[in-house]
Structure formats: structure tokens, C-alpha cells
Amino acid sequence: GENVEQHPSTLSVQEGDSAVIKCTYSDSASNYFPWYKQELGKRPQLIIDIRSNVGEKKDQRIAVTLNKTAKHFSLHITETQPEDSAVYFCAARPVNTNAGKSTFGDGTTLTVKP
Amino acid sequence: DTGVSQDPRHKITKRGQNVTFRCDPISEHNRLYWYRQTLGQGPEFLTYFQNEAQLEKSRLLSDRFSAERPKGSFSTLEIQRTEQGDSAMYLCASSLAESGNTIYFGEGSWLTVV
């Protein structure tokens, strides 16, 4: 089955700096890669996703890049703000698999210091 | 809030007792998923329903666990003869089968087995 590894497990940045979180996956058949943000005590929420036919996707201050050859994808947050502080999870979903059966990474706790 | 709702949010139980969690999905969503999440890990898929049919169960779902979705709307997850290793957050999510990929999580039910 799919295996997703996420690094780093914790990340602390100063407000205004950029943050990068990286994930690798094992199943070359995976074709959908969502990122979720989970604030303390709250539900995971989808913040951005990318499909395997695209190399990069951007939405305001967040972007995701995908390297299918190397089987890794990354989340980039620019101009970080204290409200970006949360746990971020990456996930990978093999083709023809139910969306809810994505394999998740173990999460990155991002702290943005004012 | 018309999102996915879960009840109770927190449950403390003694080892050996049975517990039941309820999930109310977004009303028009025909797919419903259950996950388990422990500290420092991402959500792990347990099972999912399409309408009232339970279509798949993970190997993580031991025979002490049972899930139902009798009318294709709300779902229950029961854990019998709880063990300390069952302590975790149990997340529910829902989606439209036709929407492709976006799943919407509830805020989870925390279980502590003492």
C-alpha cells in the first residue's frame, strides 16, 4: 500500500518568513495530493491540492509543487502569519481509489512567532 | 454550522466498557468515512459507507469495532470491550461520490480509555 512520509515534524518560523513542508510517497500510481490544515481542537480542512498532471499550483500565499519522478511534493507558505500556526498534513491517493482512502503523513506542527 | 458534526466530542471510559460515537454528515453527501487519529499521526482510514452500504473496512478495524449507517444518513461507530490502545480521536468525514476528491471532516470524538 501507499506510504507517505512528511518532514519536518515541527517547524518554527518568524512572522513574515516562508515555511516549506515536504512529503514523499511510495506508490507511483498516486495521482492526487491534498494538504490539510488542522488547528488545535478543530477539524482538518483542505487548503490546497494538486493532481499528477500539474507540477505546481498556487493560491494566494500557499503553493504546492509536485515532482512525480522523485515522488515528492511540497507545501510552501509565504509571508507567514501567526494564524498560519497549526498542524499541516499531506496525503496521497492512488488512482481509482476512493478519495476518503488517502494515506496521510504524520503531520507538521508549524509555529509562526510574531 | 452545516458541516459534519460528531457526538460526543469527548468521552472517558473505563477499560472493558462499550462506547458509541455518532456522526452526522453534510446532508446531501452520500459517502461517509471513519478515521482514527492518534497524537503525532495523521488520520488512518477505518471504514466507509456509500449510502447505507459499508463498502470497505480497514484491517485496523478489529472485530470489537462496528459501524453502521442504517438509513444512509447518520452513522455510528461502536467500540466494544474498550482497551487502552483504543484511546484516540475518531474522525468522521463525508463527501459526494460524484464530486471527485474533496472530503469534509468533522471535529472528531476524543476517546480516553482508563
Side-chain angles (χ1 to χ4, degrees):
Chain A
E2 176 66 275
N3 182 50
V4 176
E5 294 190 354
Q6 183 171 347
H7 300 279
S9 57
T10 60
L11 179 60
S12 182
V13 300
Q14 286 293 138
E15 182 177 1
D17 287 350
S18 295
V20 180
I21 302 169
K22 299 181 180 180
C23 288
T24 60
Y25 60 98
S26 61
D27 188 345
S28 56
S30 287
N31 69 344
Y32 174 66
F33 308 93
W35 285 90
Y36 293 87
K37 175 183 180 182
Q38 187 174 28
E39 297 177 36
L40 191 63
K42 299 286 183 67
R43 69 192 76 201
Q45 290 192 302
L46 178 72
I47 56 171
I48 195 168
D49 57 16
I50 192 168
R51 299 175 195 277
S52 59
N53 57 346
V54 174
E56 183 173 357
K57 183 176 178 180
K58 191 172 181 181
D59 182 4
Q60 298 182 342
R61 295 187 298 108
I62 59 173
V64 58
T65 58
L66 171 65
N67 183 328
K68 283 214 72 178
T69 303
K71 289 190 284 189
H72 68 71
F73 55 112
S74 301
L75 178 71
H76 304 254
I77 306 174
T78 59
E79 300 171 23
T80 53
Q81 301 167 4
E83 51 264 40
D84 295 329
S85 296
V87 181
Y88 291 81
F89 292 97
C90 63
R93 182 192 70 111
V95 64
N96 296 327
T97 301
N98 188 308
K101 289 189 61 187
S102 295
T103 299
F104 289 80
D106 285 341
T108 296
T109 301
L110 173 65
T111 303
V112 179
K113 294 181 286 187
Chain B
D1 186 352
T2 56
V4 179
S5 61
Q6 293 188 241
D7 182 70
R9 294 291 315 281
H10 302 273
K11 178 73 176 178
I12 299 173
T13 191
K14 291 183 179 179
R15 189 174 51 187
Q17 297 294 305
N18 299 343
V19 295
T20 299
F21 300 112
R22 176 180 169 126
C23 172
D24 286 89
I26 294 172
S27 59
E28 64 269 26
H29 284 185
N30 49 7
R31 282 192 177 162
L32 184 148
Y33 315 88
W34 285 99
Y35 303 84
R36 182 175 68 189
Q37 185 178 20
T38 54
L39 284 175
Q41 293 194 328
E44 297 175 290
F45 170 80
L46 292 178
T47 187
Y48 92 94
F49 294 83
Q50 180 149 325
N51 301 312
E52 66 275 9
Q54 187 174 17
L55 296 187
E56 192 165 343
K57 293 191 284 187
S58 160
R59 284 173 292 179
L60 292 174
L61 211 68
S62 78
D63 56 7
R64 296 184 298 105
F65 287 68
S66 62
E68 294 183 343
R69 194 183 184 197
K71 298 181 180 178
S73 56
F74 73 91
S75 175
T76 57
L77 176 69
E78 181 183 17
I79 309 173
Q80 296 182 323
R81 305 181 303 281
T82 51
E83 301 173 356
Q84 286 188 318
D86 297 331
S87 296
M89 181 161 71
Y90 291 87
L91 279 165
C92 177
S94 70
S95 74
L96 281 170
E98 298 78 15
S99 72
N101 297 295
T102 304
I103 60 174
Y104 297 85
F105 285 94
E107 294 195 340
S109 292
W110 278 102
L111 172 65
T112 302
V113 181
V114 297

